[in-house]
Amino acid sequence: MEALAAFAGLLALVAFVDRWSEPAVEDPAEPDGLPAVVGRPTLPSPVPTAMAVPGLQPRERSPSPSPSPSDSPTPVAAPMTLAMSRADIPETVDLTSSGRRDWLHWGRGGADVAVRKRDGSGELRDLGGKGDRSGWDGNQELFRWRDGAPVRSADPTPDGVYVCGRGNGFELAVVADGQPRTVTAYLGVWMARGRLDVRMSGGGPSRTVRLEERHTSASTQVTVRFQAPKGTRLVFTWTVEETFTPHCGNVGLQAMALR
């Protein structure tokens, strides 16, 4: 009996060990036949994650957006500079040489006649002024040119124009082009004090100079070196500030040259 009991116990032990050594049931396979394991590549989602762009081919990228105006470089405006000097007018002035870009001469043929450089830049402007202009052919300084219109050339001529009376005078301008330029105005007075104001049309630096002669006539050339943004006007206002005679104390103008 003891041997039979020992044999039965041995059978029970073998059955127990065999039960725990059976292989575990495998995880079900994925629909494509591959087991689900860590690190498996993810397949593309059938649902798009962003709106499609019409006309794009596979692997193409959407075009980069154009830069906004604020992203574009801001152009740098020309600096405003203004320097003035004065000197005696030479005995004879050659406008063809001194006004390589442009020049104007007044009084040749009458008070209302202005001659300017033929095919010049047109940057010199006569804006008029206050008072009536009169012609005068007795100036001490002489002017000549070889490239004018409507008068093509002139031997040295003393012609000019003048305006009488306090507060009256001339207004002239030079149109800036953004580059450093030099303009010279040839001015005079007779028994008067003249005031020349030079300023930029858009604000900025300005200069003033006076010329006075109480008993007879006087003249001067005023040279202005300037730079301003394209289209800005450099404005000259040449007026009678005071008179010293009841007989037409005046300011005079002969020419203007730009180079």
Side-chain angles (χ1 to χ4, degrees):
M1 292 294 292
E2 291 179 302
L4 182 59
F7 181 76
L10 180 59
L11 289 175
L13 179 59
V14 170
F16 179 81
V17 172
D18 183 68
R19 179 183 175 186
W20 284 99
S21 64
E22 290 178 1
V25 179
E26 292 186 359
D27 292 332
E30 290 290 322
D32 56 8
L34 296 176
V37 294
V38 177
R40 176 183 176 185
T42 303
L43 295 178
S45 171
V47 180
T49 58
M51 295 184 64
V53 179
L56 287 181
Q57 299 300 319
R59 293 188 175 274
E60 283 190 354
R61 296 179 180 269
S62 299
S64 300
S66 300
S68 62
S70 60
D71 297 332
S72 302
T74 302
V76 179
M80 282 193 176
T81 61
L82 179 60
M84 179 187 291
S85 62
R86 48 184 292 192
D88 293 338
I89 302 175
E91 181 178 346
T92 301
V93 177
D94 186 337
L95 290 175
T96 298
S97 298
S98 59
R100 291 190 296 271
R101 289 185 63 82
D102 202 13
W103 58 260
L104 275 170
H105 182 274
W106 288 269
R108 178 71 171 179
D112 299 325
V113 177
V115 181
R116 73 176 313 134
K117 182 181 182 69
R118 185 180 65 254
D119 299 327
S121 65
E123 293 164 305
L124 296 181
R125 308 288 175 84
D126 185 345
L127 305 182
K130 294 180 62 178
D132 297 327
R133 294 185 183 184
S134 300
W136 171 246
D137 60 1
N139 290 292
Q140 299 176 10
E141 295 81 25
L142 306 176
F143 290 80
R144 65 184 178 193
W145 60 84
R146 302 176 301 281
D147 58 346
V151 181
R152 183 178 183 87
S153 62
D155 293 329
T157 173
D159 298 296
V161 292
Y162 65 91
V163 176
C164 302
R166 184 175 180 178
N168 294 331
F170 304 90
E171 188 167 5
L172 313 166
V174 188
V175 181
D177 65 352
Q179 300 300 314
R181 299 296 178 203
T182 300
V183 59
T184 301
Y186 301 91
L187 312 172
V189 296
W190 185 77
M191 299 186 73
R193 180 171 66 243
R195 171 175 171 154
L196 176 66
D197 294 301
V198 181
R199 60 180 175 81
M200 299 288 188
S201 61
S206 62
R207 298 290 186 272
T208 297
V209 66
R210 290 175 171 84
L211 177 64
E212 179 177 316
E213 174 52 60
R214 291 175 174 265
H215 306 291
T216 182
S217 62
S219 60
T220 190
Q221 66 176 31
V222 176
T223 298
V224 179
R225 293 173 177 83
F226 70 99
Q227 184 176 10
K230 185 176 181 179
T232 302
R233 287 187 174 190
L234 181 68
V235 180
F236 289 68
T237 306
W238 175 229
T239 57
V240 179
E241 189 172 52
E242 188 61 77
T243 61
F244 305 113
T245 176
H247 305 294
C248 192
N250 64 71
V251 293
L253 174 65
Q254 285 182 271
M256 201 171 196
L258 176 67
R259 62 180 185 276

